[in-house]
């Protein structure tokens, strides 16, 4: 097959091979097909290498392209948070310039090889890797301030830790980053980008001002509110790697001074019997009006020791322990019988971000610069844990009754408090920074009409057990879900397109067809099926 047509692509060659081996004995046919596929794959890898060498020269190609059997390939297999063992990339390309991305895209297209981008490698379902060409953008760490520090243009490989540290020290600015400092900025914001801070200043995707990407044909395109507005809309919550390879983003920067003075607090209870009462109260708590941001966690078998409930929060624009306790006392928070309650007075916005992630302010430089290094939280094998999350709204007018939370906690305990099962249930109230934006203003959908974000992290004796646990917990809330959240991808989520994008899905699919008509960009959860 290869000798007859050296330019034949994977799909065409596979179809021919299947037809030509139908008369063979099944066992012999399987061996023959495997040999043919290996030949096809090897030829395609060679074609890709030759094409890259022609476009970039042998020296650059040797430095940035890593095919199976070459130095550096195996190491890059481990640069993922949840690597999919079924993925066998035809190669990795470590791009640090847009023309290199364009060359890789055109060479993969000519060879009919699918491609996927990677910036931080933190996809929960393994989308940071694929069985095609992985275009790795981790070296693209541009950081350029403009508009007097109110805007920053960044490369996709910049991590959340690096972004936060540089913004604060160079512009006294802040951005709504999440809890893992080594996450790449591109995947985080293109898929949504949630944090406690987002309730005040918007999701990560809401703070995108412009994106620049390489399209399926190798050409660059810029998208903002005036130029290619449909692509701009889709890039704000539509997901990464579906429309092109993003090589630059311009983001809105917020003043950090409001968060320079804060009091962080940690509330812990190992007595779960009264937690339904707290959750009933928490749903109705208008903490935004008191400049308080928080996220709570129910942990079942999640650590050595008893099950517990923990809430991390912060009184922002607050200078003393007494002032913070006064706000919490006024709200009724301190009326609950916490086994442990402690506060930490902070003096910088960086300490605020560290506290909300780790509950401490003791290792700020280490948190942002060491733990914020690319690939500092990656794995070489897939774990037995998974995630899912939803927007939750019991009713447009009513809060859940106490019995709802009693039944919910009982259900969580019944399936999670079993040997080898471990569950963490996250709950965060959502406010105007997220819910004050129309559900069709960006591609982001699931959280706009929600009162709370509820996330589940599940682990079991196997990954399948973990998926079953998370699906069970998610399904328990099925009557009250406003949509799912793309940053916490769910590999077994049924009807994921409408779950993630709801009423925005049809528009998003049409934009996907326009900007990737050949289906070059491959994803674990594509917008266009079949």
């Amino acid at each position: 097959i290869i000798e007859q047509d050296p330019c034949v692509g994977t799909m065409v060659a596979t179809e021919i091979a299947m037809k030509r081996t139908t008369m063979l004995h099944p066992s012999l046919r399987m061996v023959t097909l495997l040999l043919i596929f290996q030949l096809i794959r090897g030829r395609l890898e060679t074609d890709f290498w030759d094409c890259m060498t022609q476009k970039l020269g042998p020296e650059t190609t040797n430095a940035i392209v890593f095919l199976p059997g070459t130095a550096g390939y195996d190491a890059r297999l481990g640069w993922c948070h949840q690597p999919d063992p079924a993925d066998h990339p035809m190669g990795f390309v470590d791009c640090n310039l847009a023309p290199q991305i364009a060359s890789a895209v055109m060479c993969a297209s000519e060879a009919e090889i699918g491609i996927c981008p990677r910036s931080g490698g933190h996809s929960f379902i393994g989308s940071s890797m694929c069985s095609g060409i992985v275009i790795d953008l981790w070296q693209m760490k541009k950081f350029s301030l403009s508009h007097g520090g109110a805007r920053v243009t960044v490369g996709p490989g910049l991590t959340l830790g690096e972004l936060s540290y540089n913004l604060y020290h160079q512009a006294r600015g802040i951005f709504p980053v999440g809890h893992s400092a080594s996450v790449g900025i591109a995947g985080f914001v293109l898929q949504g980008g949630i944090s406690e801070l987002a309730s005040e200043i918007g999701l990560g995707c809401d703070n995108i001002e412009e994106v620049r990407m390489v399209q399926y044909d190798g050409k660059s395109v810029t998208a903002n509110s005036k130029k290619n507005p449909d692509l701009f809309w889709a890039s704000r919550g539509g997901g990464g790697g579906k429309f092109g390879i993003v090589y630059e983003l311009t983001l809105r920067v917020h003043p950090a001074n409001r968060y320079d003075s804060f009091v962080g607090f940690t509330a812990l209870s190992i007595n779960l019997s009264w937690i339904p009462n707290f959750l009933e109260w928490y749903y109705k708590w208008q903490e935004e009006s008191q400049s308080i941001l928080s996220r709570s966690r129910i942990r079942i078998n999640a650590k050595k020791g008893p099950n517990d409930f923990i809430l991390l929060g912060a009184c922002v624009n607050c200078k003393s322990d007494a002032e913070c306790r006064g706000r919490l006392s006024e709200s009724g928070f301190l009326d609950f019988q916490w086994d442990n309650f402690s506060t930490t007075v902070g003096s910088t916005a960086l300490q605020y971000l560290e506290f909300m992630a780790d509950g401490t302010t003791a290792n700020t430089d280490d948190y942002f610069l060491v733990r914020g290094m690319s690939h500092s939280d990656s794995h070489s094998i897939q774990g037995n844990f998974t995630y899912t999350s939803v927007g939750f709204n019991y009713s447009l007018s009513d809060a859940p009754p106490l019995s709802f939370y009693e039944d919910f906690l009982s259900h969580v305990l019944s399936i999670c408090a079993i040997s080898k099962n471990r569950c963490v249930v996250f709950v965060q109230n959502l406010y105007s920074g997220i819910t004050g934006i129309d559900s069709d203003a960006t591609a982001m959908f699931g959280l706009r009409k929600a009162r709370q974000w509820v996330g589940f992290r599940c682990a079991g004796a196997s990954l399948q057990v973990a998926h079953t646990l998370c699906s069970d917990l998610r399904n328990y809330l099925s009557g009250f879900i406003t949509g799912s959240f793309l940053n916490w991808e769910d590999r077994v989520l049924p009807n994921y397109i409408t779950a993630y994008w709801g009423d925005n899905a049809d528009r998003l699919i049409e934009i996907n067809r326009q900007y990737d008509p050949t289906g070059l960009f491959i994803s674990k959860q594509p917008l266009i099926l079949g």
Side-chain angles (χ1 to χ4, degrees), residues 424-459:
V424 182
V425 181
F426 302 84
V427 183
Q428 176 184 325
N429 288 338
L430 306 180
Y431 297 105
S432 58
I434 298 172
T435 60
I437 298 174
D438 290 340
S439 58
D440 61 353
T442 68
M444 161 58 58
F445 181 80
L447 301 185
R448 299 302 189 195
K449 297 180 180 180
R451 175 69 182 91
Q452 292 179 325
W453 170 81
V454 180
F456 303 102
R457 186 187 191 274
C458 306

Side-chain angles (χ1 to χ4, degrees), residues 473-481:
L473 293 171
R474 173 195 173 85
N475 291 339
Y476 192 86
L477 301 178
S478 60
F480 313 101
I481 293 174

Side-chain angles (χ1 to χ4, degrees), residues 153-173:
T153 298
V154 299
L158 198 72
T159 68
L160 300 187
E162 292 165 338
L163 171 69
S164 299
Y165 193 88
N166 289 328
L167 274 182
Y168 187 75
H169 285 291
Q170 295 187 36
R172 281 298 188 267

Side-chain angles (χ1 to χ4, degrees), residues 90-118:
M90 290 188 174
F92 296 91
V93 185
D94 282 8
C95 297
N96 51 48
L97 297 169
Q100 294 174 354
I101 299 175
S103 296
V105 167
M106 287 186 286
C107 289
S109 180
E110 289 176 16
E112 295 186 18
I113 304 173
I115 57 178
C116 60
R118 180 166 74 185

Side-chain angles (χ1 to χ4, degrees), residues 53-68:
T53 300
Q54 184 179 10
K55 291 182 179 297
L56 299 177
E59 185 175 347
T60 299
T61 300
N62 279 314
I64 70 170
V65 178
F66 303 88
L67 300 184

Side-chain angles (χ1 to χ4, degrees), residues 151-301:
R151 299 289 183 272
V152 63
T153 298
V154 299
L158 198 72
T159 68
L160 300 187
E162 292 165 338
L163 171 69
S164 299
Y165 193 88
N166 289 328
L167 274 182
Y168 187 75
H169 285 291
Q170 295 187 36
R172 281 298 188 267
I174 197 170
F175 190 82
V177 299
H179 289 180
S180 180
S182 63
V183 167
I185 184 62
F188 178 75
V189 298
L190 295 173
Q191 297 192 150
I194 193 171
S195 66
E196 296 87 348
L197 189 55
S199 280
E200 289 199 344
I201 61 177
L203 297 166
C205 67
D206 300 327
N207 288 281
I208 298 175
E209 294 289 327
E210 187 171 272
V211 295
R212 286 167 285 284
M213 67 180 72
V214 174
Q215 301 179 101
Y216 75 98
D217 56 4
K219 296 179 181 178
S220 293
V221 61
T222 298
N224 52 43
S225 60
K226 295 182 179 179
K227 184 182 292 186
N228 300 307
D230 272 358
L231 180 59
F232 179 60
W233 175 87
S235 297
R236 302 172 76 196
K242 290 179 168 62
F243 314 102
I245 309 294
V246 172
Y247 63 88
E248 275 187 8
L249 304 108
T250 298
L251 307 173
R252 188 181 311 132
V253 180
H254 297 267
N257 57 302
R258 173 172 166 77
Y259 309 96
D260 277 335
S261 56
F262 75 95
V263 177
F265 58 91
T266 304
L268 172 72
S269 176
I270 58 174
N271 176 11
L272 298 186
S273 64
W274 59 268
I275 297 307
N277 301 76
F278 177 80
L279 291 174
E280 180 191 26
W281 175 86
Y282 189 61
Y283 185 92
K284 295 178 284 189
W285 187 22
Q286 296 297 318
E287 55 188 314
E288 181 185 38
S289 64
Q290 297 175 304
S291 294
I292 296 174
L293 299 171
S294 69
R295 181 179 294 180
S296 61
R297 300 193 296 269
I298 304 171
R299 303 189 294 195
I300 308 298
N301 285 350

